[in-house]
Amino acid sequence: MDTIKTYENRNDIPECYKWDLDNLYESFDEYYKDRDRTTEIIEKIKKYEGKVLSSSRNLLDIEELELDLSLILDKMVNYIHLNSELDTRDGLFNSKMGELTDFYSKMDLELNFVSEELKSLTDEKLDEFISLEPELKKYEFDLRRTIKNNKHLLSLECENLLSTLSPVMGAGEEIFSKLDDADVDYGS
């Protein structure tokens, strides 16, 4: 019967058994370049404030920008989150996770107008926009779900308040998780 090898220190674990996250970012410089790209995309989206549904082209532009933004943010979150899980005692990635949470909160505040404007989108209007801009078809499922869920959205003021509070509302769970998962000997 094989015995399970244990290690006292994470640094003793052979590289072949560790996550290789270099396929996401080889350095923080690359990560920050993507963060700059997200800021640029957010600024482009903000130019549509008050005009999201003024044309089918605007709606398509918003959907494409939001998709680009989402793909970059997913990569950023995975990189920071997975690195923070490697050693929950490591303060560097935990602080980066906090920075990213703050970034998300600010982004939500800046882009809540999109959800607010999409409240007035109807199935009929979406059908019309798709007929005028067939590329919208690839976003139809999400847009129909948005229409269906519109009745559950809060006012813009309330959504902004929730965006502002989001980093604080999850703090307790995050702190517990870090302490619970940390490789710290609390004694017996």
Side-chain angles (χ1 to χ4, degrees), residues 21-55:
L21 301 176
D22 286 347
N23 61 339
L24 293 173
Y25 297 106
E26 290 185 19
S27 69
F28 270 118
D29 288 341
E30 289 181 26
Y31 170 84
Y32 284 116
K33 283 179 187 173
D34 265 359
R35 184 162 172 175
D36 291 344
R37 285 179 50 212
T38 61
T39 301
E40 291 168 11
I41 293 170
I42 289 167
E43 290 306 313
K44 286 180 184 177
I45 293 172
K46 285 168 55 177
K47 291 179 181 174
Y48 288 90
E49 189 165 1
K51 302 180 272 187
V52 172
L53 294 177
S54 65
S55 73

Side-chain angles (χ1 to χ4, degrees), residues 77-135:
V77 167
N78 280 310
Y79 179 71
I80 297 298
H81 177 72
L82 292 173
N83 270 297
S84 73
E85 292 294 320
L86 288 175
D87 185 352
T88 56
R89 298 169 298 174
D90 181 354
L92 173 66
F93 285 100
N94 289 326
S95 69
K96 296 292 179 197
M97 193 61 152
E99 287 175 17
L100 194 55
T101 300
D102 290 345
F103 181 77
Y104 258 95
S105 177
K106 290 174 185 161
M107 179 192 68
D108 282 348
L109 269 174
E110 292 183 59
L111 299 182
N112 274 342
F113 75 89
V114 175
S115 297
E116 182 68 20
E117 291 185 42
L118 286 176
K119 281 183 182 178
S120 63
L121 183 63
T122 62
D123 285 311
E124 296 76 20
K125 186 70 165 177
L126 181 57
D127 291 337
E128 176 189 337
F129 277 1
I130 290 172
S131 69
L132 295 170
E133 200 68 62
E135 286 185 64

